[in-house]
Amino acid sequence: MSDPAMSSHDHDELDECVRALESVHAFLHNELLEADADMIRHHLHACERCMENFEIESTITEMIQRSQVPAAAPVTLTSRITRLSVRRRA
C-alpha cells in the first residue's frame, strides 16, 4: 500500500515503531489516553510499515467483533451494580 501523501521516516531506530505496534490493540479499543493516541496516530501517518500492520490488526479486530454475539449481563449483576452506584452517590 503506497500512498504518496504519506511521509516516511528513518527506520534505523525502530523504537518508535515497536512502541506504536505494542499499543495498537489498546489504540483500537480506545484504551489509551488522548495524548498517547495522538502519538500513535502521528506515527501511523508517518510510517507506512506500521500503517500496514495497523490496518491488518484493525481488520482482524473488526472480524472478531462481528463474529461475537452480543451478550447481556445477568440481571443479578446489573441490579448489584445499580445498587452500588446509588450508594456511592448518596
Side-chain angles (χ1 to χ4, degrees), residues 55-76:
E55 288 174 346
I56 291 167
E57 292 294 334
S58 179
T59 300
I60 291 169
T61 298
E62 287 175 20
M63 291 171 64
I64 290 169
Q65 289 173 344
R66 280 191 298 223
S67 69
Q68 294 177 341
V69 177
V75 174
T76 55

Side-chain angles (χ1 to χ4, degrees), residues 5-84:
M6 189 180 294
S7 58
S8 63
H9 66 272
D10 189 6
H11 278 89
D12 291 341
E13 291 289 330
L14 293 177
D15 290 344
E16 189 177 339
C17 294
V18 169
R19 281 192 304 272
L21 293 175
E22 285 176 343
S23 300
V24 162
H25 290 283
F27 179 75
L28 283 169
H29 297 284
N30 299 312
E31 297 171 350
L32 295 178
L33 297 173
E34 195 57 35
D36 295 332
D38 286 342
M39 288 190 319
I40 299 295
R41 283 185 202 96
H42 176 74
H43 181 78
L44 292 174
H45 182 72
C47 181
E48 187 173 346
R49 282 189 215 166
C50 288
M51 179 58 89
E52 288 174 356
N53 283 318
F54 170 76
E55 288 174 346
I56 291 167
E57 292 294 334
S58 179
T59 300
I60 291 169
T61 298
E62 287 175 20
M63 291 171 64
I64 290 169
Q65 289 173 344
R66 280 191 298 223
S67 69
Q68 294 177 341
V69 177
V75 174
T76 55
L77 176 62
T78 305
S79 64
R80 285 183 66 199
I81 292 172
T82 303
R83 282 190 304 238
L84 288 173

